[in-house]
Amino acid sequence: MTPTGGVLAERGRVRRRRGWSRSSPRPCGGAGWSPWLCLTPALVVLGGLLVYPIYQLGLISVFRYTQAQVSGGEPTAFVGLGNYADVFSDDQFWSVLLATVGFAAACVVSTLAVGCALAVLLTRVRAVPRLALMLAALGAWATPAVTGSTVWLFLFDPDFGPVDRVLGLGDHSWTYGRYSAFFLVLLEVVWCSFPFVMVTVYAGIRAVPSEVLEAAALDGASQWRIWRSVLAPMLRPILMVVTIQSVIWDFKIFTQIYVMTGGGGIAGQNLVLNVYAYQQAFASSQYGLGAAIGVVTLLVLLAVTLVYLRLLRRQGEEL
């Protein structure tokens, strides 16, 4: 074999060890700026859809921006952190923030519990019931938030809704009390959110080797023990993704609260941060104040997500 042939043969062996050949496409990565060049289209889209609106939100939050400035009757005035000072000095903001955190936490826990339970159920039923459950769940997932909220309001309507009649509650109004209204909205949120968790976790369970589950069953482990000791640790990356997504979705809920409680409930008893920001910005024409509440909401979401990722990293999970 010639020296050139030996070099080519060695290159072929290296390619086979690395899992690619001359005919297979080479990865876009590499040293230097190559990875960033590959990410440029996605970064441009994210910059237009995410970075620029956040920049505008932060910019408006440091100005006095009311209807007078929008109509051109008065010039905008820079107030610095004045809007934030007004937000943090408002007692209602702190009560709304506490209600938002509690309501979002309840929605996340309930959604994960229902979604994971139904994902396990999908692995236990036959093909026809599995298909029916998947179609029903996807139908709930595809339903617009306004439509779903209106349907749930009808179901729990004190005059015409079937729920009160079935439960024998007479003309009980679910949206009158603070906690009952939050509970009603929670049911609707879980109903339209659990399909994402169910489908994602079900896909993860199907990827788990069947030998592992059979070995656990042969050792006498119950279904709950199999989930807690076998499936949950193996599905931790997937559970991390669905948890973060649920936190983001449930913390910034607007449509369900606004539609089902009539804009925040009686005397604002069911306000959450997004509805509170909407009221300040559009109902009161305090756009700078509403933008400041939006920035605070964004920072709270980032803080919650970072804390959750930090806890996972301390547990040894690769992120």
Side-chain angles (χ1 to χ4, degrees), residues 24-50:
S24 62
R26 296 192 177 187
C28 187
W33 293 94
S34 297
W36 294 104
L37 291 177
C38 295
L39 292 174
T40 297
L43 294 177
V44 171
V45 174
L46 288 176
L49 298 179
L50 184 63

Side-chain angles (χ1 to χ4, degrees), residues 70-124:
V70 173
S71 61
E74 296 180 9
T76 56
F78 178 77
V79 296
L81 299 178
N83 288 324
Y84 294 93
D86 293 339
V87 169
F88 292 138
S89 62
D90 187 3
D91 293 336
Q92 187 181 18
F93 166 78
W94 294 106
S95 63
V96 171
L97 176 61
L98 181 62
T100 303
V101 172
F103 177 72
C107 288
V108 171
V109 173
S110 302
T111 301
L112 291 177
V114 173
C116 291
L118 291 179
V120 174
L121 178 62
L122 286 176
T123 64
R124 302 295 176 184

Side-chain angles (χ1 to χ4, degrees), residues 192-318:
C192 67
S193 301
F194 84 86
F196 170 74
V197 178
M198 183 191 73
V199 173
T200 306
V201 175
Y202 173 71
I205 294 176
R206 299 297 294 179
V208 175
S210 59
E211 295 82 2
V212 176
L213 301 179
E214 292 175 359
L218 290 175
D219 289 339
S222 62
Q223 293 299 323
W224 167 246
R225 185 63 183 273
I226 292 176
W227 167 260
R228 188 185 64 179
S229 302
V230 179
L231 287 177
M234 299 183 71
L235 298 176
R236 187 174 296 173
I238 293 177
L239 294 176
M240 177 188 68
V241 172
V242 297
T243 300
I244 293 177
Q245 290 280 8
S246 298
V247 168
I248 294 174
W249 289 341
D250 295 340
F251 196 87
K252 63 183 185 64
I253 280 178
F254 173 84
T255 305
Q256 290 89 339
I257 289 287
Y258 192 84
V259 172
M260 300 181 72
T261 65
I266 300 174
Q269 64 180 2
N270 296 113
L271 283 176
V272 292
L273 279 180
N274 271 359
V275 180
Y276 180 61
Y278 174 84
Q279 288 186 352
Q280 296 296 325
F282 297 99
S284 301
S285 299
Q286 298 288 336
Y287 302 108
L289 197 61
I293 299 173
V295 172
V296 172
T297 304
L298 175 63
L299 294 177
V300 172
L301 272 177
L302 288 176
V304 172
T305 303
L306 291 176
V307 168
Y308 179 70
L309 293 177
R310 186 177 181 86
L311 291 176
L312 288 177
R313 191 170 184 179
R314 285 183 177 179
Q315 296 175 1
E317 186 68 35
E318 294 184 2

